[in-house]
Amino acid sequence: MNNIKVGLVEDQFLFREGIKAILNSMQGIEVMFEAADGYSVLEKLNSTPTLPNVMLVDLSLPPNGQKEYSGLNVTHDLIVHYPTIKILILSVHEDENFITQLIECGAHGYLVKDSDPKEVQEAIIAVHHKGSYINQRTLIALQHNMGRRIKSTHLRDKITKREKEILQLICQQYTAEEIGEKLFISERTVNGHRNHLLQKTKSKNVTGLVMYAIKNNIVNLI
């Protein structure tokens, strides 16, 4: 099995070296890209022969001169220019608004910097293989914030019973293969339903589907 290739965008040298050492000691994970700021990421990726599968991005990054360039800006850039790279935000902040904003922007998961290394490993594997990592902290933030939004009743009514079943299983972090086994359908059929859901809900990725499901009370995972 090929290693999951990881990139680090982190301005604090000691923290970056520490997490790099931890990740490289984990079986199946290889750190192969790093940057000390966000504004040079695109340029560095353009000259990188092999792209990372997962990028760990610090939320608080140095400005580009007078211009702010945070992990939110990096997330925007990666979504537009390198949509296949999965994004995990690392932050000291546990503020629910921060978490929701980053996930809405397109990040695939959110971790605080004091997370256990085992959770970081699980998050990397989850976003790589399943498309998202929604831990309890992120889930609570989304449900609190999504609960205050206007719900898309008309669109929700257009989602078929099968699509709702698949959406519920996606929210429980099952892979397409596992969903197929549970529902006795092919993985290809699951992916077809998932693509229809992405189009119907105008979601950027699997994490967007989770947000839609929470917002419309299709699932409640707490």
Side-chain angles (χ1 to χ4, degrees):
M1 183 181 295
N2 293 331
N3 287 344
I4 300 174
K5 296 175 178 61
V6 173
L8 297 175
V9 184
E10 166 61 58
D11 63 314
Q12 296 181 27
F13 177 75
L14 286 178
F15 183 84
R16 189 171 73 249
E17 288 298 302
I19 194 168
K20 182 167 67 172
I22 290 170
L23 293 178
N24 279 333
S25 70
M26 295 174 176
Q27 186 174 3
I29 293 177
E30 170 194 3
V31 177
M32 46 74 66
F33 176 93
E34 55 185 291
D37 57 70
Y39 51 83
S40 68
V41 168
L42 288 186
E43 183 181 352
K44 288 183 176 180
L45 285 174
N46 287 337
S47 58
T48 301
T50 306
L51 293 176
N53 304 119
V54 179
M55 194 81 84
L56 271 63
V57 180
D58 185 11
L59 179 59
S60 302
L61 292 168
N64 183 8
Q66 298 298 313
K67 182 182 177 183
E68 180 185 349
Y69 218 98
S70 69
L72 181 61
N73 299 99
V74 178
T75 300
H76 277 300
D77 286 346
L78 292 176
I79 290 296
V80 171
H81 297 283
Y82 293 98
T84 61
I85 297 177
K86 303 299 189 296
I87 305 161
L88 273 172
I89 297 296
L90 290 172
S91 176
V92 296
H93 301 289
E94 297 187 55
D95 184 273
E96 291 183 351
N97 291 322
F98 271 126
I99 296 173
T100 303
Q101 184 182 17
L102 267 298
I103 298 297
E104 283 187 305
C105 175
H108 302 82
Y110 190 105
L111 294 169
V112 292
K113 283 191 171 181
D114 65 352
S115 297
D116 186 275
K118 189 176 188 307
E119 183 181 11
V120 179
Q121 181 183 27
E122 290 172 353
I124 290 170
I125 293 170
V127 297
H128 179 59
H129 291 293
K130 303 177 182 180
S132 70
Y133 177 72
I134 307 295
N135 59 10
Q136 192 76 355
R137 180 183 287 109
T138 305
L139 183 60
I140 291 171
L142 290 175
Q143 290 198 174
H144 285 170
N145 283 272
M146 293 295 102
R148 295 193 289 267
R149 308 293 178 84
I150 298 172
K151 299 182 170 48
S152 310
T153 307
H154 178 65
L155 179 58
R156 184 178 61 198
D157 291 342
K158 288 190 174 183
I159 292 177
T160 67
K161 180 182 178 182
R162 176 62 88 190
E163 287 171 343
K164 184 176 179 181
E165 289 174 335
I166 289 171
L167 183 54
Q168 289 171 331
L169 291 170
I170 286 173
C171 292
Q172 293 172 43
Q173 302 277 283
Y174 286 103
T175 64
E177 182 181 1
E178 291 167 339
I179 293 171
E181 290 173 358
K182 279 185 168 293
L183 299 180
F184 304 103
I185 56 179
S186 70
E187 183 177 350
R188 182 178 178 180
T189 300
V190 174
N191 286 329
H193 284 302
R194 185 178 61 187
N195 290 336
H196 289 153
L197 283 165
L198 288 168
Q199 293 170 5
K200 284 183 178 181
T201 63
K202 294 181 170 54
S203 298
K204 294 185 179 75
N205 50 40
V206 170
T207 312
L209 290 179
V210 175
M211 290 176 59
Y212 174 85
I214 291 170
K215 179 180 177 182
N216 289 280
N217 298 323
I218 293 172
V219 295
N220 188 315
L221 304 177
I222 293 179

